[in-house]
Amino acid sequence: MRPRSKKSRSEPVGRRIDVDDSMQSGYGYELSARTGRDFDEGFDPDLTPAEMLKLGVFGGCYMTDCRDEFPAAWFKDAKLSPGKADPSLNYFGINASQPLSEWRRKGWLHQDDPRGWFQWYCRYYLGRRHDDDDRQISRWRGIRRHVGQLRKACDAGDLFCRPRQRQALLHWAYDSRKI
């Protein structure tokens, strides 16, 4: 089932969004799909961007300067920490992120999404389709191996088992609370 936030209104297909934040300016894109719909086959994230922000991901610092790009409803209950990451805001209260410098070093970033996978997912969820979609969806699928590892190593419902791995799964829109 496709994730769909009840509080997020659908952005109109064809709407142009121009980006101007601390990491990107002079970039814009057009929405070509319905918000939260029309996902590629086999791309079925458990969580919407709004749900992820509400649960607590990336220490709360990921989306603090680019709110104008996304629906205000996404930020209504978001756990945010402007300036510096605060791992206590993460659902599992633990840091499960690598620094942006490491993402750059490994070539995980596309120039149009300088913040990485979650920025790509937010834009994809909103309705942007992009030539990097196949690569990012493939990366999302690759993270699924951690779901299997949790199922093998942890008792069902034991949220204290492997909290870092569970938090990392939340960063990729997998709801590890259900494992």
Side-chain angles (χ1 to χ4, degrees):
M1 173 167 222
R2 299 271 181 249
R4 181 151 168 81
S5 174
K6 295 172 186 156
K7 297 179 183 177
S8 181
R9 67 177 175 80
S10 184
E11 295 294 325
V13 172
R15 176 178 168 219
R16 178 164 175 81
I17 296 178
D18 293 308
V19 178
D20 186 19
D21 60 46
S22 68
M23 289 187 72
Q24 195 172 34
S25 63
Y27 174 73
Y29 58 93
E30 187 172 298
L31 303 180
S32 58
R34 298 174 294 167
T35 301
R37 307 281 186 193
D38 307 323
F39 285 16
D40 282 15
E41 188 174 329
F43 182 53
D44 294 317
D46 297 330
L47 300 163
T48 68
E51 290 168 336
M52 293 171 69
L53 292 167
K54 182 178 179 178
L55 285 171
V57 289
F58 306 105
C61 72
Y62 196 92
M63 303 282 283
T64 58
D65 72 323
C66 57
R67 289 179 175 200
D68 292 343
E69 181 179 347
F70 304 105
W74 289 13
F75 301 95
K76 182 179 182 294
D77 297 315
K79 294 181 179 175
L80 299 176
S81 175
K84 186 176 180 186
D86 179 356
S88 71
L89 293 176
N90 285 340
Y91 184 83
F92 292 97
I94 192 165
N95 182 16
S97 299
Q98 294 185 21
L100 190 59
S101 60
E102 185 67 6
W103 301 354
R104 287 181 181 126
R105 188 184 72 77
K106 291 187 175 183
W108 291 340
L109 302 175
H110 187 282
Q111 67 181 7
D112 290 345
D113 298 317
R115 297 171 194 261
W117 186 87
F118 186 58
Q119 182 176 46
W120 169 85
Y121 177 49
C122 289
R123 291 171 172 175
Y124 186 94
Y125 187 90
L126 198 59
R128 181 191 75 170
R129 296 300 178 263
H130 191 275
D131 63 2
D132 197 35
D133 292 352
D134 289 343
R135 182 182 74 95
Q136 294 290 16
I137 291 169
S138 177
R139 293 180 68 225
W140 173 83
R141 285 187 182 118
I143 295 300
R144 185 151 185 85
R145 72 184 183 279
H146 293 282
V147 172
Q149 291 171 358
L150 280 177
R151 285 193 175 123
K152 185 175 181 179
C154 302
D155 292 332
D158 180 2
L159 296 183
F160 297 103
C161 181
R162 297 189 176 194
R164 187 170 194 270
Q165 194 169 28
R166 288 177 181 277
Q167 184 67 44
L169 283 166
L170 284 179
H171 291 179
W172 287 84
Y174 286 101
D175 193 348
S176 64
R177 300 170 303 166
K178 298 178 179 177
I179 300 170

